[in-house]
Amino acid sequence: MGQLFHEARKRLKQAAKYLELDPDVLEKLKYPKETLAASLLIRMDDGSRRSFKAWRCRYDDTRGPTKGGIRYHPSVCLDEVMALAFWMTFKCAVVNLPYGGAKGGVAVDASSLSKSELERLSRAYVKAFANFIGPDRDIPAPDMYTNAMIMGWMADEYSAIVGQPSPAVITGKPLQLGGSLGRDDATGRGGYYVLRHLEKDLGVTPEKARVIVQGFGNVGYHCARMLHADGYRIVGVSDSQTALYAPDGMDPLAVREHKKRTGSLRGAPAHGRMQETSNKALLEQECDILVPSAMENQIDAQNAPNIQARIVMEMANGPITPGGDQALNNKGVIVIPDILANAGGVTVSYFEWVQNKAGYYWTLPDVHARLQQIMEPEARRVWDIKLEKQIDMRTAAYVHALDRIAAAVTAHGGKAYFSS
Ligand code: GLU
């Protein structure tokens, strides 16, 4: 068993201590329900053929069809896909979506492919997994280095295979193909709602709070933009190439404009002094709130003691290792866990799926209001569990999710039937 999945499962054991669980439940959640591996053989633009390894893992479908993104990244492997599918299972339960969890991925550096190669790869993915996914079975979505355009190709390919338009098979599609308004910034927005809702409990004052956002992709950028608009000071941002620290703050919109224009964060505008640093070093700079929005395993037992933030909001999936968690907890740092903080993305994916099935499309204010109506009470519930049981927020989120999953396992039929 791989390291990442092994570590992910530790969180489950930790949470189980705080619930009186039927052992059947933990047994059911021990391994993924099913995983399919394939190689995607595609024609490159120069006429040669290349093969890429691909996976899809449906972790658990007790609470409904499985849901989760597809990641394109050179380091994608079975272990990572399983861990991400595990996290999706709990994420959907934290915000009470009628879904189980899944994840997919292709081991590829998407930036090395031309647009038409990327399209052939994405269509090949759907051909390989057409019997595995489905609108009532397993519903993919974007993840790292996949986007609306790719979801559009995938929905199109699936519809061609089944012989009818099937928009509900995939979420995160372009609006013209049945995408939802508000899906693009939904993950960042969800985190923003959670943080704003818990401000008083966390002792945060926007005008005084300095924020570092590691990862300036879709998630990090939108989260930074919304927080900045409400008065938070964004003092650090980074992408995979460049990390910037500016103690007097920067405007995420201007930074994004600069990156669009020049292709790099380097030299982006800031108020006052600006220092270029490394991605790793950025995490350790002075700030109040750290928002890792890039890859997993960024904060571990080694660098956690150097983190200066008082609050870490995980907008990436799994950016803190269990060792890192422990070190942060020991220091009194509050971690708002990924399965709550970044659940806004899958929540609006759920809205998209509902709209596709109903054939009735919502306005943007509707999407925002409904997202807020989900994120805030669930964040509150997690916070209350944390206080009630005197545990960290991550464990509280797992307790909350596990409670819901356990109730669903029991509702499907429990041991009591045999023993009574
Ligand atoms: N990939 C996103 C996540 O990790 C979204 C998944 C979805 O929308 O299904 O939560």
Side-chain angles (χ1 to χ4, degrees):
M1 193 192 306
Q3 185 66 10
L4 198 61
F5 177 58
H6 177 71
E7 303 259 282
R9 272 202 339 196
K10 280 189 188 165
R11 265 83 190 244
L12 179 57
K13 283 210 190 103
Q14 175 72 15
K17 289 188 209 151
Y18 298 93
L19 290 166
E20 272 173 39
L21 282 182
D22 181 337
D24 281 9
V25 175
L26 291 181
E27 199 58 27
K28 185 154 199 236
L29 294 172
K30 208 164 167 185
Y31 304 117
K33 182 181 168 80
E34 48 182 349
T35 310
L36 190 61
S39 57
L40 310 179
L41 186 62
I42 62 157
R43 186 75 67 191
M44 306 301 281
D45 291 348
D46 67 3
S48 66
R49 292 182 106 180
R50 262 183 77 189
S51 177
F52 298 88
K53 286 168 102 174
W55 297 267
R56 184 82 190 162
C57 170
R58 299 180 65 233
Y59 199 88
D60 180 72
D61 66 351
T62 311
R63 300 184 67 262
T66 50
K67 186 88 191 79
I70 299 173
R71 175 174 291 199
Y72 287 179
H73 194 272
S75 67
V76 166
C77 60
L78 176 60
D79 175 46
E80 185 189 58
V81 171
M82 274 163 53
L84 287 160
F86 173 90
W87 284 323
M88 283 309 303
T89 307
F90 287 84
K91 193 186 299 186
C92 291
V94 165
V95 284
N96 210 12
L97 307 179
Y99 288 142
K103 204 76 171 201
V106 182
V108 61
D109 175 5
S111 67
S112 71
L113 300 187
S114 72
K115 193 169 170 183
S116 52
E117 287 166 346
L118 200 59
E119 178 170 352
R120 288 195 287 277
L121 183 73
S122 303
R123 290 185 183 276
Y125 187 94
V126 174
K127 278 197 195 100
F129 294 95
N131 291 324
F132 203 72
I133 61 175
D136 295 302
R137 188 171 204 281
D138 176 30
I139 306 129
D143 197 79
M144 281 178 65
Y145 298 103
T146 52
N147 55 23
M149 180 177 70
I150 292 174
M151 297 304 113
W153 293 330
M154 289 185 162
D156 184 67
E157 188 65 30
Y158 186 82
S159 300
I161 291 169
V162 298
Q164 60 187 30
S166 292
V169 70
I170 273 171
T171 58
K173 300 177 294 293
L175 291 178
Q176 300 77 3
L177 295 181
S180 174
L181 290 168
R183 177 62 185 88
D184 50 349
D185 68 12
T187 310
R189 182 174 293 277
Y192 160 78
Y193 286 149
V194 168
L195 186 62
R196 294 246 46 188
H197 183 67
L198 294 179
E199 261 167 16
K200 281 209 184 71
D201 311 86
L202 296 163
V204 168
T205 319
E207 301 73 41
K208 289 194 190 140
R210 295 158 304 166
V211 183
I212 291 179
V213 181
Q214 186 209 32
F216 206 60
N218 174 278
V219 175
Y221 163 67
H222 285 296
C223 198
R225 172 177 67 78
M226 290 174 211
L227 291 174
H228 175 262
D230 284 4
Y232 283 78
R233 189 166 6 132
I234 310 299
V235 294
V237 297
S238 70
D239 62 12
S240 58
Q241 307 298 320
T242 315
L244 305 174
Y245 184 71
D248 294 328
M250 42 194 142
D251 175 357
L253 277 145
V255 174
R256 164 109 137 183
E257 265 320 300
H258 175 87
K259 185 173 169 171
K260 260 197 193 148
R261 209 176 53 247
T262 65
S264 164
L265 283 179
R266 183 159 296 148
H271 310 299
R273 184 167 63 82
M274 151 96 79
Q275 166 194 342
E276 196 174 320
T277 169
S278 73
N279 230 310
K280 274 258 172 243
L282 183 69
L283 300 171
E284 301 174 11
Q285 296 283 346
E286 213 180 309
C287 70
D288 301 290
I289 306 173
L290 179 62
V291 187
S293 315
M295 292 289 283
E296 50 266 10
N297 292 345
Q298 296 300 299
I299 302 172
D300 55 21
Q302 255 83 53
N303 65 351
N306 307 332
I307 301 287
Q308 301 197 51
R310 207 167 52 72
I311 295 160
V312 181
M313 181 160 78
E314 293 185 314
M315 295 305 290
N317 290 312
I320 306 178
T321 67
D325 246 351
Q326 202 160 31
L328 291 176
N329 285 340
N330 291 346
K331 271 166 55 118
V333 176
I334 297 182
V335 175
I336 308 177
D338 48 7
I339 58 169
L340 170 68
N342 73 26
V346 70
T347 301
V348 177
S349 271
Y350 164 61
F351 295 164
E352 179 174 333
W353 181 79
V354 168
Q355 292 171 76
N356 292 150
K357 285 190 161 267
Y360 176 72
Y361 289 83
W362 309 351
T363 64
L364 189 58
D366 266 349
V367 171
H368 289 170
R370 286 179 197 255
L371 177 61
Q372 194 166 7
Q373 275 160 25
I374 289 182
M375 298 307 296
E376 291 186 351
E378 300 299 348
R380 175 62 46 203
R381 186 72 200 114
V382 170
W383 186 261
D384 288 347
I385 295 173
K386 169 192 156 58
L387 296 183
E388 265 164 41
K389 300 195 184 288
Q390 302 275 311
I391 50 180
D392 61 90
M393 250 185 120
R394 185 187 315 283
T395 310
Y398 274 90
V399 167
H400 184 36
L402 189 55
D403 206 14
R404 281 186 174 142
I405 298 171
V409 171
T410 309
H412 276 278
K415 199 168 69 196
Y417 179 79
F418 290 90
S419 44
S420 60

